[in-house]
Amino acid sequence: GVDYLAMAYIAGQTLAERLQTGPLPPAEAVRLTIGLATAIQHAHEQGVIHRDLKPSNVLLDQQARPHVTDFGLARRLSESAMRATATGQVLGTPAYMPPEQATGSTDIGPASDIYSLGATLYELLAGRPPFTADSIALLQDQILHREPPPIRLSRAQVPVDLETICGKCLAKEPERRYPNAAELALDLGRYLRRE
């Protein structure tokens, strides 16, 4: 007679907590992002978009494997309109949301999660999100109208190829991003294999 949820317990820390010690080595950042992209691809194949992917919504287990959590803003892809944003209300964490979500658009899909994966990868490599500002309005303006600073300006050891992969995820137009999270994971795998 009592409602309850049964969930796996992940002993470890969030990715945001891991980032408190600074950016990750490129290979470690890539391996984590491949795990995240694989998880997001699975969600998309089940017809679900996350809409709030960010380091604090990723748990790292004791083997440093990432687990995507907090599907509180998730929506089914089959919904014709995103009810929670139909009035133009912006939901999610501004620093990781794509331009289409930052404007309160109802046209949110898998490409939106690809952008958030790119924003997370950017932070793993640079030690900070792609955009930062003192107000949500300024942050929104940057997301809509500016390109993120090149990662290599702050971390010259980040390879150009990896910066390019990250930049493709962060494209302003959804159609210029990876077509799905599986393609992102494949490209990251090619980077690791020096292909």
Side-chain angles (χ1 to χ4, degrees):
V2 177
D3 294 328
Y4 65 92
L5 295 173
M7 297 177 279
Y9 174 70
I10 308 293
Q13 62 182 347
T14 68
L15 187 52
E17 291 168 334
R18 169 62 182 85
L19 280 165
Q20 289 176 358
T21 60
L24 305 183
E28 183 180 350
V30 168
R31 281 191 288 278
L32 282 172
T33 306
I34 289 172
L36 293 175
T38 302
I40 290 300
Q41 179 66 30
H42 179 74
H44 291 171
E45 288 169 357
Q46 307 315 305
V48 174
I49 52 172
H50 191 282
R51 299 196 315 162
D52 196 24
L53 189 62
K54 58 186 176 183
S56 62
N57 284 344
V58 175
L59 292 175
L60 299 175
D61 65 21
Q62 292 182 337
Q63 289 76 40
R65 290 179 305 221
H67 299 266
V68 178
T69 65
D70 194 355
F71 281 76
L73 294 181
R75 286 287 178 253
R76 297 210 52 83
L77 285 166
S78 60
E79 292 181 10
S80 59
M82 298 302 169
R83 292 174 300 199
T85 58
T87 61
Q89 180 182 9
V90 177
L91 295 177
T93 305
Y96 304 94
M97 69 175 53
E100 64 271 19
Q101 192 171 344
T103 62
S105 169
T106 59
D107 190 23
I108 308 297
S112 302
D113 282 347
I114 301 295
Y115 181 98
S116 298
L117 282 167
T120 299
L121 175 59
Y122 185 102
E123 185 168 1
L124 294 176
L125 296 169
R128 62 182 283 283
F131 300 107
T132 58
D134 293 332
S135 73
I136 291 177
L138 287 173
L139 186 59
Q140 206 169 18
D141 181 66
Q142 290 178 13
I143 291 168
L144 294 173
H145 305 293
R146 298 213 171 103
E147 294 301 321
I151 298 168
R152 292 171 49 82
L153 285 180
S154 57
R155 285 194 76 207
Q157 68 268 39
V158 173
V160 173
D161 289 346
L162 193 50
E163 188 173 55
T164 302
I165 291 170
C166 191
K168 183 171 176 135
C169 294
L170 295 173
K172 301 287 185 209
E173 302 82 13
E175 62 275 4
R176 290 186 51 224
R177 298 176 201 146
Y178 284 92
N180 55 57
E183 288 296 321
L184 169 59
L186 286 172
D187 226 4
L188 290 169
R190 285 189 281 269
Y191 163 80
L192 280 180
R193 294 185 302 274
R194 299 175 190 247
E195 298 174 4

